[in-house]
Amino acid sequence: MAKSILIINGPNLNLLGSREPHIYGSLTLAQLEQACIDHAQERGLQAECFQSNHEGELLDAIHAAAGKHDAIIINAGAYSHTSVGIRDALSGVALPVYEVHLSNVHAREPFRHHSHISAIAKAVICGLGLRGYLASIDAIAEC
Ligand code: DQA
């Protein structure tokens, strides 16, 4: 059976396309998700996408990934910097985690420099926009 990836986008990423395009680019979330699904398919993988602005819904989606998906790609948005709950959920399901940020968080405000997720992630990619998601898919396909 094809490997399955859950791609999670957190708060405010539903605004992609119109949200600070000089930082986050002009792709909409729907376009980004479709590009990921197509890229995964080209590599013989399945990808399912989920976005929520609510921390609890993100936790529920992570919990539901156990036994259903083989890896998680997550851009937890602002919750990356604040949520111990999301980090604990990711540790709890014990799936390989690829943390992605569209922007280079280290070149931005100091409060974006720390992520609770990074220490438990297999890889962290930031600053490459959509390419960060696609590179994570490539890595999952090859691992
Ligand atoms: C982000 C960076 C976060 O600091 C910010 O809160 C986001 C998006 C990114 O993709 O660059 O919402 O995760």
Side-chain angles (χ1 to χ4, degrees), residues 6-9 48-52 54-66 68-69 72 74 89-90 93 95:
L6 179 62
I7 300 174
I8 299 178
N9 284 293
E48 186 183 315
C49 298
F50 178 78
Q51 188 275 333
S52 177
H54 304 279
E55 191 173 7
E57 287 183 2
L58 295 167
L59 296 185
D60 290 343
I62 293 166
H63 295 172
K68 185 172 176 208
H69 297 286
I72 294 177
I74 184 163
L90 291 166
V93 297
L95 292 170

Side-chain angles (χ1 to χ4, degrees), residues 9-13 16 19-20 23-24 74-81 99-105 108-109 111-113 125-127 129 133:
N9 284 293
N12 299 311
L13 292 163
L16 284 181
R19 175 192 184 197
E20 300 177 279
I23 297 175
Y24 298 115
I74 184 163
N75 181 350
Y79 288 148
S80 316
H81 316 301
E99 178 182 4
V100 173
H101 299 280
L102 293 158
S103 64
N104 178 359
V105 286
R108 300 181 62 195
E109 302 94 326
F111 63 83
R112 296 184 202 277
H113 294 182
I125 304 178
C126 70
Y133 293 75

